[in-house]
């Protein structure tokens, strides 16, 4: 068996495999595997029929290759358009996601900056709070001073209320 006859056999088997794949529903007629197997088999048959000088069969196989290449190119173009659309959609989605991500990060940083400026639990501005550098003794002294000032205010109020009661009671009794 010479190399051209081997090409003929391999080509015939490939064309039959492609036909079986489509007939059995294993492949779609416009799928890449079908087109590649079909074109490869037809090219091998062209080489074999040329060697055998079977020009009529060779012409059919050349047309077969042309039809297969046409379908393959059309499929590739359609696939690339679909791919381009998918990529464009993915790019738009990524762009939108990136914008929202940036906005989220910016808003988070703004909230963190605001929380750093104000004590969220008491709504007291930083200038009104005790410094964290102060010692515990200083804080205790300040607390005691606050308590003493409150006690003195209470005693003053009670003295004022006693004086007002004396004014009401007649002294002649």
């Amino acid at each position: 068996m010479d190399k051209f006859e081997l090409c003929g056999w391999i080509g015939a088997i490939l064309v039959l495999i492609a036909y079986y794949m489509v007939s059995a529903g294993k492949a779609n007629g416009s799928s890449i595997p079908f087109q590649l197997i079909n074109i490869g088999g037809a090219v091998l048959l062209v080489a074999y029929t040329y060697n055998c000088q079977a020009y009529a069969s060779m012409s059919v196989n050349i047309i077969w290759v042309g039809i297969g290449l046409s379908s393959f190119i059309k499929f590739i173009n359609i696939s690339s358009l679909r791919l381009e659309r998918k990529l464009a959609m993915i790019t738009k989605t990524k762009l939108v996601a990136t914008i929202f991500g940036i906005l989220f990060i910016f808003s988070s940083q703004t909230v963190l900056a605001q929380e750093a400026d104000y004590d969220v639990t008491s709504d007291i501005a930083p200038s009104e709070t005790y410094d964290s550098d102060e010692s515990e003794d200083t804080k205790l002294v300040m607390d005691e001073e606050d308590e003493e000032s409150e006690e003195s205010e209470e005693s003053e109020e009670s003295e004022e209320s006693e004086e007002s009661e004396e004014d009401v009671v007649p002294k002649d009794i």
Side-chain angles (χ1 to χ4, degrees):
M1 180 184 303
D2 68 340
K3 60 183 175 182
F4 286 105
E5 190 172 341
L6 182 63
C7 285
W9 280 106
I10 293 173
I13 291 170
L14 288 175
V15 169
L16 288 173
I17 289 172
Y19 179 72
Y20 169 77
M21 287 172 58
V22 170
S23 297
K26 307 271 182 191
N28 186 355
S30 61
S31 68
I32 291 178
F34 169 77
Q35 293 299 332
L36 290 176
I37 293 170
N38 196 25
I39 292 168
V43 167
L44 292 173
L45 286 173
V46 167
Y48 174 70
T49 53
Y50 176 76
N51 186 51
C52 293
Q53 297 177 352
Y55 299 115
S57 181
M58 184 181 78
S59 300
V60 169
N61 285 309
I62 289 173
I63 293 170
W64 193 278
V65 169
I67 293 170
L69 284 173
S70 169
S71 297
F72 182 73
I73 290 169
K74 188 186 303 182
F75 179 75
I76 295 296
N77 287 339
I78 290 171
S79 294
S80 66
L81 286 175
R82 287 182 187 156
L83 182 62
E84 286 176 17
R85 287 182 189 147
K86 286 180 183 178
L87 289 175
M89 195 64 156
I90 290 170
T91 304
K92 288 177 186 176
T93 304
K94 283 184 178 179
L95 178 65
V96 169
T98 303
I99 289 170
F100 279 118
I102 290 169
L103 290 175
F104 177 75
I105 290 169
F106 178 74
S107 64
S108 297
Q109 293 300 323
T110 304
V111 169
L112 290 174
Q114 289 173 350
E115 287 177 357
D117 288 343
Y118 294 98
D119 183 2
V120 177
T121 58
S122 65
D123 293 332
I124 300 174
S127 61
E128 297 175 18
T129 60
Y130 297 119
D131 291 337
S132 61
D133 295 339
E134 293 181 6
S135 67
E136 288 295 320
D137 295 335
T138 308
K139 290 181 183 177
L140 289 175
V141 169
M142 293 178 83
D143 288 341
E144 289 174 3
E145 289 175 0
D146 289 342
E147 288 175 8
E148 288 176 5
S149 65
E150 288 176 7
E151 288 175 4
S152 65
E153 288 174 6
E154 288 176 5
S155 66
E156 288 175 10
E157 288 176 6
S158 65
E159 288 175 6
E160 288 175 8
S161 65
E162 288 175 6
E163 289 175 5
S164 63
E165 288 177 6
E166 291 174 0
D167 293 338
V168 173
V169 178
K171 293 186 179 182
D172 292 339
I173 301 180

